[in-house]
Amino acid sequence: MKQLAILSILLFYFSCANKKESDSILSVDVSVDIVTPKNYIVSKVKEPLIIDGNSMEPSWDLASYTDDFIDIEGEKTPKFDTKVKMLWDDSYLYVYSELKEPHIWGNLKQRDTIIYYNNDFEVFIDPSGAGTGYGEIEINALNTVWDLFLDKPYRVGGKANFEWNLDELKTAVKIHGTLNNPTDLDSLWTIEMAIPLKPLTRLRKGPKGIPKEGEQWRLNFSRVQWDHDIENNRYDRKKENDKYLREYNWVWSSQNVINMHEPEKWGYLQFTEASSSKDIAFIEDEDLLDKQILYALFRKTRYGDLKHVLDNEYGHTQIIDVSFSEGKTKQATFYKTNVGFEFSIENKDKNRIHFINNEGTLKTL
């Protein structure tokens, strides 16, 4: 199947090359659309961790914290600090998070309800790194969980499967203060998770076994925070003119927009068998810039100010000068297909061509 897919792409590429290109070269600036994902190297533990909301085991001392979370758009500094550290073994990915919070509250107690209507902590995991077939976990201060699966992002018609449950998921919340008590000030709440690997590895496009040394997944974290009101000694989301105020969204790796479901922007999680990640080098993707440019062109064409290129007839091709940084450009090629569009960027030095289509699916030849 893989060989057939590659052959079809090549046939399409060369057939388009024989069609007349537009005489004009279109210039597009994607510099504000480019995101450089963060990365985290997760080390391995030899014994299972006790999931109690604390990080007292010596193994946790060997795990480094992420940077403090930033605003999802990268423009504002969050009001309260959030940070995460991770470990893994053959059965679980372990996540420990600290969320500073002077008012810890929650009222959603039923599993798989919409947890982000409370202040919550969220995990997004894409084991294949393809932007399709990924899991999401949300948890509030009451330790209520919502886990769901998306076949693809909402932007291209993805459907959320609420019936997808991580049956062996273990979670615990520790309150440093008092829960749902508006008469005092709290300190923070901590979350500890043991996320089972087996159902996640089943989402991979390749081998289904446990991660290998150097294997990389895509992952991001989000914290949803609401301004609150206190009525009758109870917390609730704050309203103005009978409408809830918008929530804050704070993340580990910048999304650059208020949308967690752009998985091409998530950070990289790299596995190591070592008990400490201190001396382990992150494996850089040397084609990351080309891929990020293509994703930016995809988003602009499907939803943004490049929609007009879709008015061209089937078979139309056009060269595009893409500015991605001050004084720096790359050339991309637009193809109008019978079902939508494709962009490509050729790297002659590495003898590679990257393609993206109207579904946001990336391929490399």
Side-chain angles (χ1 to χ4, degrees):
M1 289 296 293
K2 183 177 180 181
Q3 288 80 2
L4 287 173
I6 292 174
L7 179 59
S8 65
I9 292 172
L10 283 171
L11 288 172
F12 175 79
Y13 177 71
F14 288 118
S15 67
C16 286
N18 292 325
K19 294 183 182 292
K20 184 178 178 181
E21 292 184 353
S22 171
D23 293 332
S24 62
I25 295 179
L26 187 63
S27 295
V28 177
D29 189 344
V30 300
S31 55
V32 298
D33 303 289
I34 297 294
V35 169
T36 302
K38 293 189 177 182
N39 63 77
Y40 188 96
I41 300 174
V42 59
S43 55
K44 195 171 188 180
V45 291
K46 298 190 181 301
E47 66 283 330
L49 300 177
I50 299 171
I51 305 304
D52 56 7
N54 295 306
S55 60
M56 305 301 292
E57 294 94 336
S59 295
W60 275 125
D61 294 333
L62 296 175
S64 59
Y65 276 109
T66 62
D67 296 332
D68 284 339
F69 282 24
I70 58 177
D71 185 83
I72 193 168
E73 295 179 285
E75 298 174 356
K76 302 176 286 293
T77 300
K79 293 196 295 185
F80 310 127
D81 291 340
T82 314
K83 57 186 178 181
V84 174
K85 55 184 174 180
M86 289 172 276
L87 293 166
W88 76 291
D89 61 23
D90 288 350
S91 299
Y92 294 99
L93 172 66
Y94 299 100
V95 176
Y96 175 80
S97 181
E98 290 187 356
L99 300 85
K100 295 290 181 65
E101 173 62 80
H103 291 278
I104 304 174
W105 65 276
N107 56 21
L108 298 176
K109 300 179 180 180
Q110 180 179 339
R111 184 175 177 131
D112 289 342
T113 192
I114 302 176
I115 297 300
Y116 63 76
Y117 288 160
N118 281 175
N119 296 335
D120 80 348
F121 175 77
E122 304 176 357
V123 187
F124 297 80
I125 307 178
D126 177 5
S128 286
T132 57
Y134 58 86
E136 178 181 348
I137 306 167
E138 302 188 7
I139 186 170
N140 67 2
L142 289 165
N143 197 29
T144 308
V145 168
W146 181 22
D147 46 359
L148 60 152
F149 167 80
L150 281 98
D151 56 342
K152 54 187 176 181
Y154 295 116
R155 65 189 178 188
V156 289
K159 304 295 183 183
N161 180 358
F162 292 11
E163 303 301 319
W164 185 79
N165 283 339
L166 294 164
D167 294 328
E168 296 181 21
L169 175 70
K170 303 176 185 178
T171 64
V173 172
K174 176 74 173 179
I175 305 297
H176 296 256
T178 53
L179 180 65
N180 289 326
N181 182 356
T183 65
D184 65 358
L185 291 179
D186 307 312
S187 174
L188 73 156
W189 52 299
T190 60
I191 299 166
E192 193 175 20
M193 295 182 176
I195 305 172
L197 287 179
K198 185 175 290 185
L200 295 178
T201 59
R202 292 193 191 113
L203 304 180
R204 284 190 301 196
K205 304 296 187 285
K208 310 301 182 186
I210 64 171
K212 305 296 183 184
E213 178 70 33
E215 183 173 327
Q216 293 180 348
W217 294 5
R218 302 302 295 272
L219 172 143
N220 210 352
F221 301 102
S222 172
R223 176 180 177 179
V224 172
Q225 187 77 16
W226 298 87
D227 287 323
H228 66 267
D229 276 327
I230 300 172
E231 294 184 7
N232 299 320
N233 209 35
R234 297 180 64 179
Y235 290 102
D236 198 1
R237 290 180 290 162
K238 188 176 182 67
K239 288 183 177 180
E240 285 186 2
N241 299 321
D242 211 32
K243 292 184 178 180
Y244 290 115
L245 296 181
R246 289 201 65 166
E247 76 280 11
Y248 304 97
N249 297 271
W250 304 328
V251 300
W252 167 52
S253 191
S254 176
Q255 291 291 118
N256 209 31
V257 292
I258 305 176
N259 183 0
M260 285 303 299
H261 293 275
E262 294 190 350
E264 66 270 15
K265 298 176 181 177
W266 297 352
Y268 288 92
L269 178 68
Q270 179 174 310
F271 292 85
T272 180
E273 297 276 347
S275 59
S276 171
S277 62
K278 181 179 179 181
D279 298 319
I280 307 299
F282 176 69
I283 303 169
E284 302 282 351
D285 181 355
E286 58 185 10
D287 296 319
L288 178 62
L289 177 60
D290 287 355
K291 294 174 182 178
Q292 287 292 317
I293 289 172
L294 286 173
Y295 278 119
L297 290 172
F298 154 75
R299 294 190 299 268
K300 279 181 170 292
T301 304
R302 183 139 183 174
Y303 316 104
D305 54 10
L306 264 181
K307 282 184 177 180
H308 62 89
V309 299
L310 299 179
D311 295 334
N312 291 294
E313 296 179 352
Y314 163 64
H316 174 85
T317 71
Q318 184 159 16
I319 302 300
I320 300 180
D321 277 340
V322 186
S323 301
F324 61 90
S325 185
E326 186 174 354
K328 295 183 178 181
T329 63
K330 280 181 176 280
Q331 277 202 338
T333 304
F334 166 82
Y335 317 100
K336 179 63 184 296
T337 70
N338 61 338
V339 294
F341 63 87
E342 282 194 353
F343 285 95
S344 71
I345 292 180
E346 182 177 6
N347 188 320
K348 294 181 180 179
D349 293 337
K350 298 172 185 174
N351 197 28
R352 283 199 284 270
I353 304 174
H354 301 289
F355 293 84
I356 198 165
N357 66 12
N358 53 286
E359 289 290 303
T361 302
L362 194 71
K363 290 185 172 64
T364 301
L365 297 181

